[in-house]
Structure formats: structure tokens, C-alpha cells
Amino acid sequence: MNLAMDKYIKIRGAQAQGARTVEELEEMTDIVIENEDELKEVEAVLKNVCKCKGVSVEEVVTAVKNGADTIEKVAEATKATTVCGRCKGIVGNIIENKR
């Protein structure tokens, strides 16, 4: 990953607040995407919930739609949040917003 750590942290924070697209990210933050390569990296981060277990937003949303209504139930269904726990905010937001 070539994305600067400060941008990565801002992206993950915005995800925990509900950003799911580049457009939502840009509305919620002061992040400026420098070029096409960086855009691709940002899009890849936005698709991912749990870097440790490689769990996507889509997988968590599916688990929530199938009844996982707590972080523990999402963890059981997807393994997200089961290593470092840094993705709990994003998982919690997905549960809350069902998206």
C-alpha cells in the first residue's frame, strides 16, 4: 500500500462514521485524492472492513441482513473484529445503518 498513513487513518475513521463511497468520503473529510492510483487504493480500503481477516463491507452487510445484529454475531459470521478489533467501529456503523 502506498497510501499515506494519515490518509488511511482518516478513511477508516470516515468509514466508522458511515462513508462507503469515495464521494461520501470526500464530503466527510478534507482528503484530496492525488491521482488514479491513489483513487484505486482508496476504493480498495473502502471495500474492506477487517484488514486482519480480509473481510469486506459486502460480507458484513450480508451478515447483518441475515440477522447478525451485534458485533459478536457479525464476528461469528465473518470473523471480522476477532484479531485486533480496530474494525469494531466500522462493523458497529454497518449494524446501525444496515449498509
Side-chain angles (χ1 to χ4, degrees):
M1 179 172 75
N2 294 321
L3 199 60
M5 186 55 71
D6 60 324
K7 280 188 179 181
Y8 179 81
I9 291 168
K10 284 182 180 182
I11 293 166
R12 297 300 271 176
Q15 278 184 296
Q17 298 300 313
R20 301 290 179 261
T21 66
V22 172
E23 292 79 17
E24 291 171 341
L25 177 69
E26 289 175 332
E27 288 174 12
M28 296 173 74
T29 69
D30 61 354
I31 290 176
V32 175
I33 298 172
E34 303 293 331
N35 54 50
E36 191 66 30
D37 289 337
E38 189 172 86
L39 175 62
K40 288 177 184 177
E41 283 189 85
V42 169
E43 290 172 335
V45 171
L46 288 170
K47 290 180 182 178
N48 190 340
V49 169
C50 179
K51 188 173 182 178
C52 297
K53 290 292 188 174
V55 179
S56 70
V57 169
E58 184 178 327
E59 290 173 279
V60 174
V61 169
T62 298
V64 170
K65 287 181 178 179
N66 288 333
D69 57 358
T70 65
I71 290 173
E72 293 77 16
K73 288 178 183 176
V74 169
E76 188 176 308
T78 67
K79 304 299 181 229
T81 77
T82 62
V83 178
C84 77
R86 290 186 185 139
C87 58
K88 284 184 180 181
I90 299 167
V91 170
N93 183 274
I94 292 171
I95 293 167
E96 183 179 319
N97 294 299
K98 296 181 177 50
R99 70 171 202 98

